[in-house]
Amino acid sequence: MTDSGLAPLPASDRPDTAARLRDALLAASFTADGLLDLLGAAAYAALARSETVPALRATRGDTPLETLVRLFLLQQPVPHARVASVLPVEEALAAGWLTRVGGDEVAATVDVRPYGGPGGEDWFIVSDLGCAVGGAGGIGQRDAGVVLGVGGASTTLAGITVRTPVASALDLGTGSGIQALHAAQHATRVTATDLNPRALHITALTLALSGAPAAELREGSLFEPVRDDETFDLIVSNPPFVISPGSRLTYRDGGMGGDDLCRSLVQQAGERLNEGGFAQFLANWQHVAGEDWQDRLRSWVPRGCDAWIVQREVQDVTQYAELWLRDAGDHRGDPAEYQARYDAWLDEFEARKVKAVGFGWITLRRTGSAEPVVTVEEWPHPVEQPLGETIRAHFDRLGYLREHDDAALLDSHFKLVGEVVQEQVGLPGAEDPEHVVLRQHRGMRRATKVDTVGAGFAGVCDGTLSAGRILDAIAQLVGEDPVLLRDRTPAQIRLLVEQGFLEPVR
């Protein structure tokens, strides 16, 4: 396969070659751990920023691992004989993984990055040359069909995805196949789609080189490749969410006006989910003058779905434009062209009355409930990845709360989750604190204010007594009417359950 301005890709129909190549890479310790041992922490971190000089200095020897780092990560020509001592070089040349250059050297045709799976798996992500993401200098190629490798967005989505075993999973806009690779570990059938046929080809290479089952690959935009009667247990997408003027780069620019691509993706996902299934996306959304951004996002949620939308970051329009101009490397080109592109971004935002752009996660769960729960919040604080289990538990708790009225709640038993601490806030020497804060040290790492009754209630929740019995004991201890205490406390209990401080004991 060839694309204008892009090198031909290795053959994707030679699984035996990919398997032998994988064996050779592993034999040389060309893994995430092996790279860290070879390069050291500083050079390894620099490589993740697309800064190659420290890694070049660390690979001046001739060991098999140094040879592979220079070949696949640093994209340096390497003598044929040196590569032949590490890889099945003639087979790799015939399949298109390598190409001859100069007199007696070979070079890689694609970027191959070691990637550690969540269970310690040694995987490899394939992408176009010079397109490792994360560097301050922007991507190495500007061709519209370029396919990027592992970046912060893709690892974030992989970390927040619910990983329960499922029959069917859909990776929408698969790119280099990272989400499909993860899904293949817990889904019986994986379907991966992309508008860019080059991305589908590279996804096949990623899966084969990682030793993962092949996915069903389909070309098309958004849900177009999905049959009308087809539904899934899991849908994931790191879509081309960038809000930009036009559609210059396929991997990031959706080609729809404003945030319409993300809105369409979310709205159409509900009917593609099986009951109990999850859809999880990364997205950008506009902050429009005169609109509440939370109401804007609530309007995206399809019927029959609970939703949890978390805004992780907000940038004003100038910061946002500069970020993506740098991503494309425009700042390194002609200054007049850069200024013209910058103007075009600001013109687009001004026409749409956009003041800022938000970034975050959107998770849907198909419940079919007539009373869906939609939570939209801003949470820019550090979290503990992976969050998939935290997100699954959040939706389970929403379902529990929906099914239990206050009377049923008081008859229920709860347990304080692990690693929650209590902080008392007040003036030094004061007899009583002004307020009490419960703080999580896992998952979302939330903190929430409670009154002394709420703190006392949470502290004794170990699953043995019902909530009502605990409140009766607290009422007796503080000299309060137990009936009044039972009336006013369920709202606080619901908040503690919803935010994950308390979990129902089934």
Side-chain angles (χ1 to χ4, degrees), residues 11 40 49 125 163 192 213 229 231 244 290 306 332 374 425 448 467 474-475:
R49 301 190 301 269
I125 308 300
R163 298 295 175 194
D229 61 347
T231 55
S244 59
D306 288 344
R332 293 185 279 110
V374 177
V425 180
T448 190
I474 292 175

Side-chain angles (χ1 to χ4, degrees), residues 157-213:
L157 179 58
I160 68 172
T161 300
V162 176
R163 298 295 175 194
T164 53
V166 295
S168 58
L170 172 64
D171 176 13
L172 222 165
T174 186
S176 55
I178 300 163
Q179 309 309 323
L181 179 57
H182 278 276
Q185 312 308 305
H186 64 102
T188 303
R189 175 175 60 89
V190 177
T191 302
T193 72
D194 205 289
L195 179 66
N196 183 2
R198 189 176 181 88
L200 297 176
H201 191 127
I202 284 181
T203 290
L205 297 176
T206 289
L207 294 174
L209 197 59
S210 297

Side-chain angles (χ1 to χ4, degrees), residues 222-275:
L222 300 181
F223 288 100
E224 287 176 2
V226 179
R227 297 189 302 270
D228 290 342
D229 61 347
E230 201 170 12
T231 55
F232 300 87
D233 302 309
L234 174 67
I235 300 172
V236 293
S237 184
N238 177 18
F241 53 66
V242 176
I243 300 171
S244 59
S247 182
R248 187 158 60 108
L249 297 170
T250 304
Y251 75 87
R252 71 169 202 191
D253 301 322
M256 296 186 185
D259 52 17
D260 284 353
L261 183 136
C262 291
R263 176 186 55 78
S264 297
L265 186 61
V266 174
Q267 289 179 337
Q268 295 174 25
E271 62 185 9
R272 300 297 185 180
L273 281 175
N274 293 325
E275 192 73 12

Side-chain angles (χ1 to χ4, degrees), residues 453 471-472 474-475 480-490:
V453 170
L471 290 179
D472 290 343
I474 292 175
E480 189 168 340
D481 185 335
V483 175
L484 295 177
L485 193 61
R486 279 175 172 253
D487 284 344
R488 70 177 176 85
T489 307

